[in-house]
Amino acid sequence: ILVCLWGCTLLNWFGIRIYARISMYGVLLGTIFPTILLVILAGKYFLGGAVPALHYAGFSSLMPQLNSLNDWMLLAGMMVSLAGIDMTALHITDVKKPKRNYPLALLFSAVVIFASDIAGSLAIALVVPSGELGMASGASEAFTCLFAHLGLPEWNKPVLLLLSLGAITTVLVWLLGPVKGLWEVAREKRLPAFLAEKNAHGVPGNLLLLQSGAISVISLVIFFTPDISSAFWVFMALSAQMYMLMYLLMFAAAFALRLRRPELARPFAIPGGLWGVGAVTLLGSLSALAAMIAGFIPPSNIRALGTGPSILYACGIGAGTLCFASVAYFLLGKKARLPDTPASARDQNVNS
């Protein structure tokens, strides 16, 4: 964890150009290519007469089982896996012709993410029995099974290296986005002045180092969980709580700004006026709230240990959420000493 984290921190230190090139090839080689390969191999696997591990029992089998704690628990992880596309908005100033290119890139990304998630997850579920799936290792288990069945075990390690590249690319992409957001907070003097400083490559270096240091400390949780899957889920559930809380605030802010400042020019406006914004806000807020509640449900291996560990898990998730949210609350309470800018510029910042 630490080697990957600080390696990605070093790459981000040198700015958006290196970051963009590595992330582009990392996504292609480490995510899209393995997903396509997995689907092709799974198809060949079943055309050869293999029995699928997942059985279709009618349309009802495609629907989530709302009386299942496992299905509700997985909702939080699913929401986090689909969240984060908004993080790219922090790089919009680095995009050529953003009014045209950014929405197109967002639409293309959403289609690719949706299709690859469904195709890849279905291929894994058809190959590996659900009882043998690990939370953090489903794809690698599917490839191991497929290559062994096809008599190509030597192909397994190179593909697993590509999967690792895809995971590292995810870390690379995620590191710089929050830092650019925090830099805006530092620029408004809600953080110490040294955190607003940028290095020679235009990156908020001090904030980047502070963030990676905090993540390094948080990663020590792995020593207090029974196995890797449990540690993976604790990280996933905690990040779901923080992310969904951020979404609740973001939706509320979007609706409030549209209500209070309807006259502002908005190049990226939700259609339907105030009713359209209200509908999106309500749907998004309810989804985020459901994911937050689901995040308190412990995984099956912790529930199997009894009521005590399950309560301890829920309390740990709640305490972690309150701890991290309290930092933001403290910053919010500080009086912002904004730089002197014309009113029109401040309006444009609010609009952005």
Side-chain angles (χ1 to χ4, degrees):
I1 289 174
L2 294 179
V3 169
C4 291
L5 170 65
W6 286 98
C8 290
T9 301
L10 180 62
L11 290 172
N12 273 302
W13 183 270
F14 293 104
I16 192 71
R17 290 186 178 180
I18 293 179
Y19 158 95
R21 290 177 183 175
I22 294 176
S23 62
M24 181 181 68
Y25 290 115
V27 168
L28 289 173
L29 296 175
T31 302
I32 296 177
F33 172 72
T35 300
I36 295 173
L37 181 62
L38 179 61
V39 172
I40 293 173
L41 291 179
K44 184 175 177 59
Y45 179 71
F46 294 113
L47 289 175
V51 178
L54 186 66
H55 301 286
Y56 177 71
F59 181 75
S60 61
S61 64
L62 299 177
M63 296 293 102
Q65 304 300 310
L66 298 182
N67 59 347
S68 168
L69 282 180
N70 278 338
D71 280 20
W72 279 106
M73 178 202 75
L74 292 172
L75 174 65
M78 184 195 73
M79 292 286 280
V80 170
S81 71
L82 295 175
I85 197 169
D86 54 280
M87 193 64 67
T88 58
L90 293 167
H91 303 299
I92 198 167
T93 55
D94 302 305
V95 177
K96 295 179 181 178
K97 299 181 180 178
K99 187 174 181 178
R100 171 186 176 274
N101 291 336
Y102 183 72
L104 287 177
L106 207 62
L107 178 61
F108 177 76
S109 299
V111 172
V112 171
I113 291 168
F114 188 70
S116 61
D117 266 8
I118 289 181
S121 299
L122 188 59
I124 293 171
L126 288 170
V127 172
V128 185
S130 60
E132 300 176 13
L133 273 174
M135 289 183 183
S137 54
S140 62
E141 290 165 353
F143 274 117
T144 301
C145 178
L146 287 169
F147 284 129
H149 176 78
L150 298 172
L152 300 169
E154 67 276 5
W155 284 63
N156 196 40
K157 287 184 179 179
V159 172
L160 295 187
L161 284 174
L162 289 179
L163 287 176
S164 300
L165 173 64
I168 293 171
T169 302
T170 303
V171 177
L172 180 69
V173 171
W174 271 84
L175 280 178
L176 197 56
V179 163
K180 292 191 75 171
L182 282 172
W183 178 79
E184 291 289 345
V185 179
R187 193 177 63 85
E188 293 181 355
K189 300 183 180 180
R190 291 177 183 261
L191 289 173
F194 77 95
L195 294 177
E197 296 174 2
K198 289 188 173 184
N199 64 17
H201 305 282
V203 174
N206 294 333
L207 271 172
L208 186 64
L209 295 176
L210 178 65
Q211 175 183 255
S212 296
I215 296 171
S216 299
V217 174
I218 294 170
S219 69
L220 297 177
V221 170
I222 201 169
F223 293 117
F224 301 95
T225 53
D227 51 46
I228 295 296
S229 286
S230 298
F232 177 83
W233 186 254
V234 168
F235 291 138
M236 182 73 79
L238 189 56
S239 61
Q241 298 300 310
M242 296 306 302
Y243 218 114
M244 295 305 115
L245 181 60
M246 182 276 292
Y247 273 141
L248 288 174
L249 295 173
M250 185 172 66
F251 284 124
F255 185 76
L257 285 173
R258 183 65 71 90
L259 187 65
R260 295 174 184 173
R261 304 299 302 273
E263 75 282 359
L264 288 179
R266 292 177 168 87
F268 305 103
I270 296 172
L274 193 60
W275 286 100
V277 177
V280 171
T281 297
L282 180 62
L283 181 60
S285 298
L286 290 176
S287 301
L289 191 59
M292 287 188 70
I293 295 171
F296 285 96
I297 301 174
S300 56
N301 57 340
I302 292 181
R303 293 201 306 272
L305 298 176
T307 305
S310 297
I311 294 175
L312 186 62
Y313 170 88
C315 291
I317 295 296
T321 304
L322 289 174
C323 177
F324 291 121
S326 64
V327 176
Y329 182 79
F330 168 74
L331 295 177
L332 189 66
K334 290 175 69 68
K335 183 179 179 181
R337 298 187 299 276
L338 297 175
D340 294 330
T341 54
S344 59
R346 290 198 299 269
D347 288 347
Q348 185 60 41
N349 287 336
V350 170
N351 179 29
S352 301

